[in-house]
């Protein structure tokens, strides 16, 4: 089996295009996450598993003071940087400790359609 990082690096552009308007992503997942997040005004948000940055852009546009995204795929991180210039994006593995950030660095964490990739 190809590790997810390789899979998503190889299909990053196609995934980004599909998820931009795809039924599950654009009409179910992102609206649900934004609804659950509530008022974003002034919040420091971490978008864990940010993929191509579609949700990150909406979080920034929704009033978050800062949006930071992380993804295991370098190609997805590059696309997220293009899609959401207001955000900060890093390549990181959610299965490993997130020592990039200090405790208390974020007020809200979103993890949209990513937790099923983690074994533990």
């Amino acid at each position: 089996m190809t590790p997810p990082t390789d899979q998503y690096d190889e299909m990053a552009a196609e995934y980004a295009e599909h998820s931009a308007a795809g039924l599950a992503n654009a009409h179910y997942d992102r609206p649900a996450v934004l609804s659950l997040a509530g008022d974003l005004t002034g919040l420091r948000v971490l978008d864990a598993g940010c993929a191509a940055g579609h949700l990150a852009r909406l979080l920034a546009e929704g009033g978050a003071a800062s949006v930071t995204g992380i993804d295991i795929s370098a190609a997805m991180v590059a696309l997220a940087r293009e899609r959401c210039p207001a955000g900060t994006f890093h390549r990181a593995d959610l299965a490993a400790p997130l020592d990039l950030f200090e405790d208390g660095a974020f007020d809200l964490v979103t993890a949209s359609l990513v937790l099923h990739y983690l074994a533990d």
Side-chain angles (χ1 to χ4, degrees), residues 48 94 111-120:
L94 289 174
S112 175
L113 302 174
V114 70
L115 295 179
H116 63 284
Y117 289 106
L118 304 175
D120 186 14

Side-chain angles (χ1 to χ4, degrees), residues 81-108:
R81 286 180 179 138
E82 291 175 17
R83 180 162 280 105
C84 182
T88 303
F89 298 92
H90 306 275
R91 185 169 183 257
D93 185 350
L94 289 174
L98 292 177
D99 54 7
L100 286 169
F101 312 110
E102 294 183 22
D103 288 347
F106 302 102
D107 304 304
L108 176 71

Side-chain angles (χ1 to χ4, degrees), residues 65-80:
S66 66
V67 175
T68 302
I70 57 174
D71 201 276
I72 196 167
S73 165
M76 289 293 191
V77 168
L79 289 170

Side-chain angles (χ1 to χ4, degrees), residues 45-68:
V45 181
L46 174 64
D47 186 8
C50 66
H54 297 294
L55 177 61
R57 184 177 70 203
L58 294 173
L59 293 165
E61 291 172 352
S66 66
V67 175
T68 302

Side-chain angles (χ1 to χ4, degrees), residues 10-80:
E10 291 170 10
M11 65 175 186
E14 293 85 4
Y15 177 86
E17 183 179 336
H18 168 77
S19 65
L23 181 63
N25 300 88
H27 300 285
Y28 175 70
D29 179 66
R30 284 193 291 272
V33 171
L34 291 170
S35 176
L36 289 168
D39 183 9
L40 299 168
T41 304
L43 296 183
R44 301 164 300 161
V45 181
L46 174 64
D47 186 8
C50 66
H54 297 294
L55 177 61
R57 184 177 70 203
L58 294 173
L59 293 165
E61 291 172 352
S66 66
V67 175
T68 302
I70 57 174
D71 201 276
I72 196 167
S73 165
M76 289 293 191
V77 168
L79 289 170

